[in-house]
Amino acid sequence: MSDRGPHLVLLGKQGAGKGTQASRLAEHYGVIHLATGDVFRAAINEGTELGFEVQRYMDRGELVPDEIVIGVVREVLTNSDAVKRGFVLDGFPRTVPQAKELERVLADFPLDVVIDLDVPTEIALHRIAGRRVCVQCQTTYHVDNPPKEDWICDVCGSDVVQRDDDTEEAVMRRLELWEIQTLPLIHFYRRRGLLAHVDGIGDSEDVFESLVATVEVRMTEDA
Ligand SMILES: [Zn+2]
């Protein structure tokens, strides 16, 4: 086992539980959790040149282009002690060009493992399309775990509804897009010998333990 934490990329479709597990892993290893969405928000708040660019695309409801995403992530990786301490990347890379650029940025400190946190589409669909949210306090529920009273928020008493973009059709579209986008990335990391699969079905605690076990194996091989 090396004396730093893992250099880890976590891939997973929406509904796989990636965000939750990424933040648990970061805490477990005492490393930096780099979620692209958070990084974007931070850059915007700090008013950096790149933050300004990101804001422009987001205001127009457009996808932030590769070179800007790469720029933001490069800035964070090089200006923090993420490389020395270790990191969990969550939401990046999303494309093969982004993955290649990440390789260049990390040059002498390559990734230890890329984990594909995998759940079948039907399960991801059920998790997201079953989600309901309070219009007032944003507390989330699920059709399998509803509020005590008929879709009235337990916390604040407001209505609990389904978000427009959580409908089955909208979720299905996002999942299909994700599949198309991510497949080349999965192949890329498999060719690099970095890819590992972890089953994201079942209890969150069990999934977490499988993730840690997978990281441990790779870190030991590396050392
Ligand atoms: Zn509420």
Side-chain angles (χ1 to χ4, degrees):
M1 196 82 184
S2 66
D3 55 357
R4 60 158 176 81
H7 288 175
L8 167 65
V9 169
L10 196 56
L11 302 174
K13 55 170 78 85
Q14 197 190 12
K18 174 171 64 74
T20 312
Q21 296 292 355
S23 103
R24 285 193 67 181
L25 283 167
E27 197 183 327
H28 177 81
Y29 287 108
V31 299
I32 292 173
H33 175 201
L34 260 174
T36 319
D38 296 343
V39 173
F40 282 172
R41 276 187 289 278
I44 291 168
N45 289 338
E46 283 161 27
T48 64
E49 183 75 23
L50 282 164
F52 180 71
E53 288 282 314
V54 169
Q55 178 88 69
R56 270 182 36 209
Y57 285 97
M58 286 173 56
D59 283 348
R60 292 197 298 251
E62 287 170 20
L63 271 182
V64 182
D66 262 1
E67 61 273 22
I68 294 177
V69 183
I70 290 162
V72 173
V73 174
R74 188 198 295 119
E75 207 169 68
V76 178
L77 282 176
T78 48
N79 294 344
S80 70
D81 56 358
V83 172
K84 212 164 57 189
R85 268 172 63 194
F87 56 79
V88 179
L89 278 175
D90 162 12
F92 181 92
R94 191 153 279 183
T95 63
V96 171
Q98 288 181 3
K100 286 183 175 163
E101 183 56 29
L102 181 63
E103 266 184 348
R104 275 190 288 274
V105 173
L106 292 174
D108 300 328
F109 312 93
L111 293 173
D112 298 302
V113 59
V114 175
I115 298 179
D116 178 22
L117 181 60
D118 192 33
V119 300
T121 300
E122 316 87 74
I123 290 182
L125 186 62
H126 178 74
R127 283 180 181 172
I128 312 165
R131 195 162 60 181
R132 302 292 182 269
V133 59
C134 170
V135 294
Q136 188 61 39
C137 72
Q138 311 295 317
T139 300
T140 56
Y141 300 89
H142 195 275
V143 289
D144 295 342
N145 182 28
K148 291 190 194 74
E149 264 186 78
D150 193 27
W151 299 108
I152 300 297
C153 179
D154 289 342
V155 180
C156 75
S158 299
D159 287 343
V160 173
V161 301
Q162 184 176 43
R163 282 200 195 102
D164 288 344
D165 55 357
D166 281 351
T167 63
E168 212 157 294
E169 302 76 61
V171 176
M172 209 51 215
R173 258 200 313 278
R174 287 204 296 280
L175 289 174
E176 277 164 8
L177 190 66
W178 186 89
E179 206 80 47
I180 293 166
Q181 254 197 338
T182 313
L183 213 53
L185 198 57
I186 302 249
H187 289 318
F188 175 83
Y189 281 128
R190 184 175 293 130
R191 278 196 301 273
R192 292 288 195 271
L194 285 170
L195 192 71
H197 288 278
V198 168
D199 192 342
I201 309 174
D203 185 58
S204 169
E205 195 58 42
D206 295 339
V207 174
F208 177 68
E209 277 168 28
S210 307
L211 285 166
V212 170
T214 304
V215 173
E216 302 292 326
V217 167
R218 293 304 175 109
M219 295 291 287
T220 315
E221 282 169 357
D222 285 352

